Structure formats: C-alpha cells, structure tokens
Amino acid sequence: MLSYPINLYKKAYSGLSKESWYLSIVMLMNRSGTMVVPFLTIYSTQKLNFSIVEAGLIMAIFGLGSVFGAFFGGKFTDKIGFYYLQIGALLSGGLMFFMISFLETFWSLGIGTFILSMCSESFRPANATAIAFYSNEKTRTRSNSLNRLAVNLGWSFGGALGGFFASVDYHLLFYVDGFSNILAAIFLIKLLPVVKNSKHQDTETHEIQVQSPYKDKLYLAFILLTILFSSCFFQLFTLQPVFFKTEWKLTEQFIGGLMAMNGLIIVFTEMLLVNNLEGKRSPLYFTGIGVIIAAFSYSILIFFPAAAWLAVISIIMVTLGEMIAMPFMNTFWMSRSNDRNRGEYAALYTIAWSVAQIIGPIYGSFLIEYGGYKLFWYFISGICLLTAGGYFYLNRLNQL
C-alpha cells in the first residue's frame, strides 16, 4: 500500500537536473522569509493607522516597483546572464527589508517599498531564465513546479511564522526577510557554478521564432489575460487577509495558518497533479480550468456567512486553481521563447504580475471603500470567469 504513493512521488520528481534542485533550495530559503507581503496591508492599517485606500496604494507602489524591476531584470538577464543578477537582487532586496522597517509615514514607506520591490522583482526574470536553462522541453513544466514547490514550502513556513511574529512585533517580519534574502544569495554562490553565458549549447528547436515578445500578438493577448487573472489572485495576499481580519474577525495567527495551508497543499500535491496532467491537453486549456476554480473559491465569500471552516474551503479551492493554472502558464511563455530572447519573455511575464500588483489593490480598495466587500468579491469572481474564457479562446487560436 505504501509503495504506490512512494512510486508516484518518485515518478513525479525523476529526471530533473541537480541544478534545478539547487535553484529550488535557494528559492526555499529566500521564500521562507517572505512574510512581509501578506501582512503589509494589515501592518499599514493596524499599526501605522493608514486608511484602507492608503494601504491599497502602498501595495500598488509595490507593484509599480515590480514592473521596473522585472523590465530591467529581463534586459540585464539577456546581457549579463542570470547568475550575477540573481545574486545582486537577493543582496539588495535583503538590505532594503532592513531599511523599510524604520519607515512609518505614507510617503517614506511608499518610496522604500518601491525600491525594495524593484530590487527583489529583478530576481524573477533571472530565476525563470535559469530554470529554462537547466531543464529541457520534457522536464520544463515539472522544473517550474519544483520551483513553485520551494516557493510555497517557504511561503507556508514563513506564513505560519509570520503570523506569530506579527502578533509579537511587526518589525520582526522585516528583519527575518532581510536575513533570508542575504542567506539565499550566499547559498546560491556556494551551490551553483558561475554561468557567464546563459545561452544553451543544445539543438532544441522552437516552432515559434519571434525576436521580441512585444511583437508576438498572441503572447501579448496572453499577457493581458494574465494581468487580469493575477490582479484577482493577488487579493489572496493583499486584501483578503484584511477581509478575514476585519469582516470575519479571524486572528493573525489563523490568517497565517491559512497562508501556510496554501503552501503545504502545493508542496504535497502539485508535482503529482502536474505529472498526471502534463501532455494530456494544451497549457492554455489547463490554465483556463484553473482560473475557473479560482473564481468559485472567491464566490464562497459572497454567498456564505463568516466561518473559519469556510475560509479554509475557500483557500483550498483557490490553491487547486493555482496548482492547475500557474505551472502551465509558465510552460506556455517558455514555449514561445528561445535562448536569445528568453530574458525579455520572462520579464514581460513578470511585468504582467507586477502590473496586477498595482491595479489589484487600487481597484480592490476603492471597491471596498465605496461598495463594500460583497461588490468586491462579485467583481473578482466575474473577472476570473471572463479571463478563463479568454484563455480558452487563445487556446483555439494557438492550435490553428
């Protein structure tokens, strides 16, 4: 009986390069300290006495910094390679976490958050390019899932620990985040050899030969849909914690536990799920299915009364949608890139998520301020359903 699930896990994890595992170890260390983001809105409203709109604007500024970080990160990845950029991003991000712990006015925190986000998010295009470099077309989706596993294992640990730290002193979140970034940079240097030229020397061929992602019309449509969906998904870490705290009266520890549960579900099930789904349908098809499930998870918050167990059900559903959609979203953008432009493709994909971090908190906080949470969740659910239809349509176009 026990050998069957063990064999399933062995099959799911087999064939991945040792470098992919090393990247995931570095990511695990980095994300274990990622505690600030899901608690930043609560910190802003509860400790700094910002309004919900001001807290939303802080998160939007974080997203704006992400756009700049992703854009320049992609440019420099294609120029100097992914290795040095990852190290620089981790070190500078770690130092900025320490600095913003001392910033308590709206403008100072906004400026500090912008710089922090710009430093930290430049890491993502370089890291995505590294994953593609150390994998092949047969292992790429699972390599992305392994990296996401590390992200979410770190997220679950950091979320639970972050809830405890937040109940003691919010500043502890910034200190631990700073140390974890610097430690991750040190381990990256120790585990991975220097790669000065990140061009693959293999003979992989790509059906799509587009020199610039900005001229790839289908990819640009995919990016637009990704912005819409991710602006909804990010509510899980920005305004949904505030909803659970202020409307459903859940504690910081319980909210941290929900974040931990999200990560743990991904850790134990995503690789098995992806291994079972990979190759059976197109990446865009699975992306659409995942987004539909996310829509239903948000609708629970509309039609049911406040209850801790319903919060758990909602998080389980959005996690399932995330596990189905996101690995295949990464597979899709990688399939349209090559070794000469992968950094820019990665940057544009990262920018999509960064733009979502700008618009999501802005429209979300204004909808809540002037229409209440019920209108907000209706809007989020509707956007998810609309976006899912868009992914299915793109899937049809891509197969023509």
Side-chain angles (χ1 to χ4, degrees):
M1 292 292 291
L2 186 61
S3 62
Y4 180 70
I6 291 176
N7 288 332
L8 285 178
Y9 277 98
K10 287 176 65 176
K11 182 179 179 182
Y13 288 94
S14 64
L16 303 179
S17 68
K18 65 178 182 180
E19 291 85 1
S20 294
W21 285 96
Y22 292 158
L23 282 171
S24 296
I25 291 171
V26 170
M27 183 64 77
L28 172 62
M29 298 177 63
N30 172 234
R31 294 300 176 175
S32 291
T34 306
M35 307 173 188
V36 169
V37 175
F39 290 97
L40 190 55
T41 47
I42 300 176
Y43 170 70
S44 298
T45 55
Q46 301 294 310
K47 298 301 178 182
L48 300 183
N49 296 316
F50 292 176
S51 69
I52 186 66
V53 172
E54 287 177 322
L57 288 173
I58 289 293
M59 296 307 300
I61 291 170
F62 184 93
L64 183 62
S66 299
V67 171
F68 282 88
F71 178 79
F72 289 109
K75 289 286 186 182
F76 284 113
T77 295
D78 286 335
K79 290 183 180 296
I80 67 174
F82 55 76
Y83 184 82
Y84 293 112
L85 189 55
Q86 287 182 96
I87 294 172
L90 290 170
L91 291 175
S92 59
L95 293 174
M96 282 306 304
F97 272 117
F98 290 127
M99 291 187 63
I100 65 171
S101 67
F102 300 101
L103 308 177
E104 297 185 347
T105 67
F106 174 79
W107 285 109
S108 64
L109 183 61
I111 294 170
T113 300
F114 176 85
I115 298 173
L116 164 68
S117 178
M118 187 168 62
C119 293
S120 297
E121 290 302 301
S122 64
F123 174 80
R124 292 180 62 185
N127 181 255
T129 302
I131 294 169
F133 181 81
Y134 289 121
S135 64
N136 55 50
E137 291 182 352
K138 292 183 179 179
T139 63
R140 195 149 288 159
T141 302
R142 287 187 297 130
S143 294
N144 276 297
S145 287
L146 179 65
N147 196 261
R148 276 178 42 78
L149 183 150
V151 170
N152 286 282
L153 183 59
W155 185 267
S156 64
F157 176 75
L161 198 59
F164 169 75
F165 285 151
S167 66
V168 177
D169 185 349
Y170 275 95
H171 290 91
L172 292 174
L173 303 176
F174 299 101
Y175 303 151
V176 175
D177 273 12
F179 279 119
S180 66
N181 271 262
I182 294 171
L183 193 61
I186 294 172
F187 270 73
L188 192 150
I189 294 170
K190 294 291 185 180
L191 291 174
L192 287 172
V194 175
V195 179
K196 294 182 179 180
N197 185 351
S198 58
K199 303 292 188 292
H200 245 316
Q201 300 301 320
D202 59 21
T203 57
E204 282 190 12
T205 59
H206 298 267
E207 294 182 5
I208 308 297
Q209 296 293 338
V210 178
Q211 293 299 313
S212 170
Y214 300 97
K215 296 180 181 179
D216 186 345
K217 293 182 180 179
L218 193 143
Y219 186 64
L220 291 176
F222 167 80
I223 290 298
L224 177 60
L225 292 173
T226 299
I227 291 172
L228 291 175
F229 166 61
S230 54
S231 73
C232 299
F233 175 76
F234 272 134
Q235 308 300 341
L236 176 64
F237 310 115
T238 54
L239 295 176
Q240 192 166 350
V242 180
F243 170 78
F244 284 148
K245 174 67 176 176
T246 60
E247 300 296 308
W248 282 20
K249 309 302 180 185
L250 303 179
T251 66
E252 284 93 342
Q253 291 92 331
F254 190 84
I255 295 169
L258 291 175
M259 300 299 103
M261 184 184 69
N262 168 262
L264 288 173
I265 292 172
I266 291 171
V267 167
F268 287 108
T269 62
E270 182 173 303
M271 286 291 285
L272 297 178
L273 183 63
V274 168
N275 187 57
N276 186 58
L277 295 177
E278 189 172 20
K280 293 186 176 179
R281 301 292 290 267
S282 67
L284 288 176
Y285 172 83
F286 287 123
T287 299
I289 294 295
V291 175
I292 288 176
I293 296 173
F296 282 106
S297 76
Y298 290 128
S299 68
I300 289 175
L301 307 176
I302 303 172
F303 299 109
F304 294 93
W309 68 272
L310 282 171
V312 171
I313 295 298
S314 176
I315 296 299
I316 290 174
M317 287 189 65
V318 77
T319 303
L320 177 61
E322 174 188 357
M323 291 191 298
I324 294 174
M326 292 187 188
F328 291 99
M329 292 168 75
N330 279 292
T331 300
F332 177 75
W333 78 254
M334 286 183 180
S335 72
R336 300 191 72 82
S337 66
N338 56 51
D339 295 325
R340 292 171 296 172
N341 58 19
R342 188 159 290 133
E344 284 198 281
Y345 267 83
L348 190 53
Y349 181 69
T350 303
I351 287 171
W353 288 86
S354 300
V355 169
Q357 285 183 296
I358 300 172
I359 64 174
I362 291 177
Y363 75 65
S365 59
F366 275 90
L367 283 171
I368 293 167
E369 181 77 12
Y370 299 107
Y373 276 103
K374 192 168 186 177
L375 175 63
F376 170 66
W377 293 125
Y378 267 119
F379 186 84
I380 294 297
S381 301
I383 290 295
C384 283
L385 291 175
L386 180 66
T387 304
Y391 282 123
F392 289 133
Y393 180 69
L394 282 190
N395 183 47
R396 290 179 56 191
L397 292 179
N398 194 43
Q399 293 177 343
L400 294 178

